[in-house]
Amino acid sequence: MRGSLICSMFSLVMAHIVNAESVSFLSCPIARDTGPDSDVCFFTEYQGREIALIPRTPYNRPELKHKILVEGELIPTKTVCGGVGFKGSLSILPELSPECDEIRPHDGSPAGKRNNLFHRMPEKHRERAFALMERAKSDPSASLEAAIYDPDPTPEPQPPFFDQHLSIYFSFNQVKSSGPELIQLLELIRYANAANETILLKAFQGKSKLDSGEILTEKPTMAEQRAQQMVNTLTGLGVSSERIKVTTIDAFQTPSGIDDWKQRRVEFTLSLSPIEENIYDN
Amino acid sequence: MKNMKTLFLKALLLSQALLVSLMTVADTEDYSSDAQWWSPGEERVFPQYSEYKNTSGRLGIINLNGPINTAEHPFFQALGSNGRGCVSCHQPSDAMSITPETALQRWKETNGKDPLFAAFDGSDCPTLDQSKPSSHSLLLKKGLFRIGMPWPPMPFNGKPVAPEFTIEVIRDPTGCNTDPVWGLNSEKPTVSVYRRPRPVINVDHLLEMPHGVPPYNKFFFNDSSLLPKDPETGNFVSQQLMADGRGLTPKLQALDAAQTHLELMAGLSKEQLQQIEAFERQLFAAQSFDAVAGDLTGDTTPPGLGPDALVKAPRGRLGNNPLNKIFGDFSMWENAVNQQEFKASVARGANIFKERRFYIKDVGAYNDKGLGNPFKRSCGAGCHNTLVMGMDLSPGFMDLGLNNWPWQTTRSDLPLFKITCHANAKPQSYLGRVIMTHDPGRALITGKCIDVGGTMTQQMRGLAARAPYFAGGAAANLRELVDFYDRRFNINYTEQEKIDLVNFMRTL
């Protein structure tokens, strides 16, 4: 029984490895209309296939008039936006590419879903919103009551405290972070403040090897820019500069064409251990 | 204890709202131009509730904490060395902004001697012959005041910014940007742009930090940097007050206005600033009566209409959801027939505003903040999403196309600048590194190329009282405003849809 379970798990892992196809390329995004009551979705054409452009985090969607750097894995078992599923990083290149400007009209497939903010809310908030909607049928004034609330506060971190680690990833040549990652960072800061811990911050920049063999190199100041943006964030949120230790890694790792986007990151570590000078090689 | 306090505050608000609803307008029925105009320095009572006539009906203003004797209040006093007070450019009849019609009337009544026409910013340029109406053409025709922005940019914290671009004057119809004293190459380099005064109503809503959209109550959606903080309290600020975000708080805005528009170099005292902020936060205004629909208050009208809705509604909430529908439920007017057809049109307009999607495309500092280009949304679900107010809740500066070419090419009355971004700067997302603009907007604060033309979205209340619209007064009326969007975003509204949208907006 136990043996067959391990075999099954092994098969699943192997299937994933076999199915996973890494890609790294530059191309024009294409928008596809999904119907009158829904947003567009994005895909691109690469090596004769349509590949869905699914952002790693919300609100990092492709832009027409700009090329996009696509780095990640294809998921052939999944169809999104009429294309092969994709998981990884999307980077919008800042320079204009006027030729990237195609919107495919809605042809019935895929049919978009109407976006409803209530579906993204915690269950308790959603129940309250639906109750208000019910009330508004007989009492229109209920339509002005707050439906969207701040999230319920999470409990203050309590001892015993442990080491914590967080990595925030960036698009190519960008310092902007995603909303979900900033929320994680806010939680990390709360934890650090409660534990009175020092935050070790290590910023990186990267190179990306495309499938064509071409290598894209980030600006040589990106690690520093990322570190600075994060230090500004930490100090602006009340972390004293004495409790922040910064290391920037200007050296580029050799890109392999697989998961190169993970080089573009800032690592945060909360350590209960005493801090050693030059803990990281520079 | 906290619950008790909340209950008490709610009870207080309810009793005040009740008081307002019980008040008659009998004491405010004088709509003559004398009664409509408020001169700085005159002693009057600013009542708890007042109404002012406009072409669509009447605007109602609730002064929540009770009547004010204007002689004792810094908002109304003639504090400026030029004889102006805050009220000069924030007239109650114009939803606490000022319209060209009001300015023109004032010109006729005073032969151009009213402090409103102060040479410093009430004329196209101080060096022009101030006795001629043509020297004040932008104020008299578009309700625009000259805003002299320092170059290089100097934000309110006093730390100069190294701009990512150069700026060149291509066309200078007012003469001010090439003027040896006031221009870009003067001893004190200045970029003159021309903007409408923002309405000082519903400020309490503008100041509230956004709820329910974490982490954007702390971070800019655009670039994930931290929002600026109020230097007095250390709290984050909403950035909704001014077109370019330079006045972070009512007090800082008042200080800036005192030193520029009032030419009051000594500034304002702490007490005066507190009084001004308190007054601004207690004004709630909206259209209260429509010439066709009639009374816009009470139980038989959609709950989001009338000034009382602004008092009652929660602040800083996303309204683009199935319950709130931005301005609340209009269904009670959906099936109005015969002489009630106008009400049905308003209800249809509300629905189009909330539901009718189009491609929002190539909007600098908007599509590029992660939303995607294009982003297919309606007016309300896109940029005008705040409950009962209609501005963008996660504070958004954006280049809608009102300042920059190629979308805005008809403003021969405004200066034209050529912006050339440095090679190492991030370019403006959809215009690149060379941009022709009538107003660089937010970029005159941040010095960033991506911000060229960026302007903060505005609230949508009291619209009927304060045409023309947009920061540069580009739309003379609501129909031109709808036509601009239709053209800019290739929406293809039908004629009926345009009429419905106009009817809807005039009741706000």
Side-chain angles (χ1 to χ4, degrees):
Chain A
M1 177 70 186
R2 193 176 167 193
S4 64
L5 185 66
I6 290 170
C7 276
S8 300
M9 287 176 68
F10 180 75
S11 303
L12 276 173
V13 170
M14 283 309 290
H16 176 73
I17 291 169
V18 169
N19 286 336
E21 179 188 346
S22 287
V23 290
S24 177
F25 61 94
L26 277 173
S27 75
C28 282
I30 300 170
R32 195 194 299 276
D33 198 318
T34 65
D37 294 325
S38 49
D39 203 349
V40 299
C41 61
F42 291 92
F43 69 100
T44 192
E45 291 172 338
Y46 180 62
Q47 295 181 340
R49 282 183 294 183
E50 292 186 352
I51 295 169
L53 296 177
I54 306 163
R56 191 178 57 82
T57 54
Y59 299 114
N60 184 34
R61 305 180 76 210
E63 296 173 34
L64 299 187
K65 305 253 178 101
H66 291 270
K67 282 194 174 156
I68 194 157
L69 171 61
V70 182
E71 298 169 281
E73 289 177 357
L74 302 184
I75 308 168
T77 53
K78 200 172 174 185
T79 302
V80 180
C81 196
V84 178
F86 167 81
K87 187 182 172 189
S89 165
L90 302 177
S91 299
I92 296 144
L93 301 196
E95 298 298 331
L96 270 176
S97 293
E99 72 278 15
C100 300
D101 199 18
E102 183 180 355
I103 302 176
R104 298 261 173 99
H106 179 51
D107 60 4
S109 177
K113 284 182 188 166
R114 191 185 172 85
N115 188 29
N116 183 341
L117 284 178
F118 289 172
H119 296 150
R120 299 208 310 245
M121 292 169 18
E123 192 176 346
K124 201 169 75 178
H125 292 198
R126 192 163 53 240
E127 282 172 7
R128 190 164 43 191
F130 285 134
L132 280 169
M133 282 190 70
E134 197 56 35
R135 208 184 98 205
K137 288 177 184 169
S138 56
D139 173 14
S141 70
S143 68
L144 294 189
E145 294 201 17
I148 310 285
Y149 291 83
D150 289 324
D152 295 331
T154 51
E156 195 66 23
Q158 299 292 333
F161 296 108
F162 302 99
D163 289 0
Q164 301 285 325
H165 186 84
L166 171 69
S167 290
I168 290 184
Y169 296 94
F170 296 85
S171 294
F172 193 84
N173 272 340
Q174 302 289 322
V175 294
K176 185 184 173 183
S177 314
S178 71
E181 285 172 327
L182 289 172
I183 290 172
Q184 285 181 290
L185 180 61
L186 289 171
E187 284 303 309
L188 186 91
I189 291 168
R190 257 163 54 94
Y191 195 95
N193 286 341
N196 197 28
E197 287 186 41
T198 294
I199 300 177
L200 310 180
L201 187 158
K202 192 176 179 187
F204 299 81
Q205 53 201 18
K207 288 183 176 182
S208 287
K209 184 179 179 186
L210 306 185
D211 295 344
S212 64
E214 185 186 353
I215 290 174
L216 304 180
T217 306
E218 284 200 294
K219 289 180 193 167
T221 57
M222 288 316 296
E224 190 185 332
Q225 286 185 47
R226 285 171 184 145
Q228 191 56 56
Q229 169 103 338
M230 287 303 156
V231 168
N232 290 345
T233 300
L234 294 175
T235 53
L237 290 168
V239 180
S240 66
S241 51
E242 294 78 37
R243 285 179 45 220
I244 306 169
K245 302 289 178 193
V246 182
T247 307
T248 57
I249 309 296
D250 297 330
F252 290 99
Q253 287 180 34
T254 304
S256 66
I258 297 172
D259 287 345
D260 290 336
W261 61 272
K262 289 182 179 171
Q263 293 177 26
R264 304 188 299 263
R265 69 187 186 277
V266 171
E267 292 176 355
F268 298 88
T269 305
L270 303 188
S271 177
L272 295 173
S273 320
I275 297 164
E276 295 171 26
E277 290 300 320
N278 301 320
I279 193 164
Y280 297 112
D281 294 332
N282 205 335
Chain B
M1 188 62 193
K2 194 179 172 188
N3 284 343
M4 286 295 288
K5 194 177 170 187
T6 309
L7 275 175
F8 174 76
L9 283 172
K10 280 184 178 170
L12 184 67
L13 271 175
L14 276 174
S15 64
Q16 285 170 325
L18 185 64
L19 177 69
V20 167
S21 65
L22 290 174
M23 280 188 295
T24 69
V25 294
D27 58 340
T28 59
E29 283 180 347
D30 179 3
Y31 301 127
S32 64
S33 72
D34 277 353
Q36 299 259 102
W37 176 260
W38 291 67
S39 280
E42 69 178 337
E43 180 163 9
R44 286 169 73 170
V45 172
F46 194 93
Q48 185 154 21
Y49 182 70
S50 52
E51 290 194 342
Y52 300 87
K53 196 176 178 184
N54 53 56
T55 52
S56 297
R58 295 197 296 269
L59 175 87
I61 301 181
I62 296 171
N63 178 21
L64 194 61
N65 294 339
I68 283 171
N69 182 339
T70 59
E72 298 162 3
H73 200 285
F75 191 91
F76 296 91
Q77 291 165 334
L79 296 174
S81 65
N82 54 18
R84 279 190 190 155
C86 306
V87 74
S88 298
C89 309
H90 296 285
Q91 288 284 316
S93 63
D94 297 350
M96 304 302 283
S97 175
I98 192 165
T99 63
E101 288 75 22
T102 299
L104 190 59
Q105 180 72 23
R106 202 63 197 149
W107 181 275
K108 288 175 184 167
E109 288 170 357
T110 66
N111 199 24
K113 301 288 186 240
D114 193 284
L116 179 66
F117 305 105
F120 180 73
D121 63 351
S123 77
D124 298 348
C125 193
T127 47
L128 298 172
D129 179 351
Q130 297 297 306
S131 67
K132 293 181 178 173
S134 60
S135 301
H136 306 267
S137 63
L138 289 171
L139 175 53
L140 293 171
K141 290 179 181 172
K142 299 283 186 187
L144 301 176
F145 289 82
R146 188 181 71 88
I147 311 291
M149 301 296 292
W151 184 259
M154 178 78 78
F156 223 80
N157 62 16
K159 295 176 191 165
V161 167
E164 294 178 347
F165 56 87
T166 58
I167 183 166
E168 188 183 339
V169 182
I170 299 298
R171 208 167 63 201
D172 192 24
T174 67
C176 230
N177 282 294
T178 48
D179 188 274
V181 177
W182 299 93
L184 192 53
N185 294 318
S186 66
E187 198 173 299
K188 200 175 165 187
T190 301
V191 179
S192 286
V193 292
Y194 298 84
R195 296 177 187 160
R196 302 271 296 117
R198 293 212 154 192
V200 184
I201 53 173
N202 311 316
V203 170
D204 209 39
H205 285 268
L206 296 174
L207 295 175
E208 183 78 10
M209 297 304 291
H211 292 282
V213 288
Y216 301 110
N217 54 350
K218 295 182 175 67
F219 295 91
F220 261 121
F221 203 122
N222 294 49
D223 63 3
S224 79
S225 63
L226 281 176
L227 290 170
K229 290 180 177 178
D230 178 348
E232 189 180 26
T233 65
N235 296 330
F236 291 112
V237 295
S238 68
Q239 294 262 97
Q240 298 279 5
L241 281 182
M242 299 184 77
D244 56 15
R246 72 184 184 281
L248 297 175
T249 67
K251 287 176 184 167
L252 291 174
Q253 185 278 331
L255 264 181
D256 177 57
Q259 288 174 350
T260 54
H261 305 308
L262 305 194
E263 299 177 81
L264 180 66
M265 290 309 119
L268 296 164
S269 71
K270 198 175 168 185
E271 289 71 28
Q272 286 172 321
L273 289 169
Q274 273 168 351
Q275 278 182 286
I276 290 170
E277 175 170 356
F279 174 66
E280 291 180 352
R281 293 187 81 134
Q282 71 193 47
L283 293 186
F284 297 89
Q287 194 77 342
S288 58
F289 181 88
D290 185 88
V292 181
D295 189 8
L296 298 176
T297 65
D299 290 342
T300 57
T301 56
L305 296 181
D308 204 24
L310 278 302
V311 177
K312 290 174 179 168
R315 281 56 160 161
R317 305 284 169 161
L318 264 184
N320 56 351
N321 61 69
L323 173 73
N324 297 138
K325 301 174 182 174
I326 322 298
F327 294 100
D329 183 21
F330 278 71
S331 59
M332 67 171 68
W333 279 6
E334 275 173 6
N335 299 314
V337 291
N338 298 330
Q339 72 272 26
Q340 303 279 303
E341 164 55 22
F342 178 84
K343 290 183 178 177
S345 171
V346 170
R348 286 195 302 271
N351 194 53
I352 294 163
F353 180 82
K354 165 71 171 48
E355 300 293 344
R356 175 81 143 78
R357 290 177 188 242
F358 51 90
Y359 296 136
I360 302 172
K361 187 165 180 286
D362 300 344
V363 178
Y366 181 77
N367 287 105
D368 54 355
K369 61 185 182 182
L371 302 176
N373 187 33
F375 185 51
K376 194 178 169 197
R377 285 289 189 280
S378 64
C379 307
C383 317
H384 296 282
N385 53 33
T386 306
L387 180 63
V388 301
M389 288 289 281
M391 71 281 187
D392 192 355
L393 186 63
S394 293
F397 298 97
M398 59 188 78
D399 161 35
L400 200 58
L402 288 155
N403 294 324
N404 297 346
W405 285 21
W407 304 107
Q408 182 57 272
T409 55
T410 59
R411 296 304 299 271
S412 58
D413 55 340
L414 293 180
L416 180 64
F417 306 98
K418 181 181 177 184
I419 302 284
T420 306
C421 303
H422 298 163
N424 60 354
K426 188 177 179 187
Q428 210 271 11
S429 292
Y430 307 108
L431 298 174
R433 295 185 181 280
V434 178
I435 306 155
M436 305 294 271
T437 184
H438 295 290
D439 183 346
R442 176 76 174 153
L444 289 177
I445 303 294
T446 64
K448 289 186 177 174
C449 195
I450 53 167
D451 288 331
V452 173
T455 303
M456 181 63 78
T457 56
Q458 296 199 41
Q459 65 166 305
M460 295 180 63
R461 302 314 300 241
L463 288 170
R466 56 182 174 93
Y469 307 104
F470 299 128
N477 49 53
L478 290 173
R479 176 56 189 253
E480 282 191 15
L481 180 148
V482 172
D483 283 340
F484 169 79
Y485 279 96
D486 191 51
R487 193 170 59 244
R488 168 66 179 85
F489 295 113
N490 202 19
I491 303 172
N492 289 319
Y493 284 134
T494 65
E495 180 60 22
Q496 187 60 54
E497 285 177 321
K498 289 182 180 181
I499 291 168
D500 293 342
L501 278 167
V502 168
N503 288 341
F504 161 64
M505 286 191 281
R506 74 180 239 182
T507 64
L508 294 177

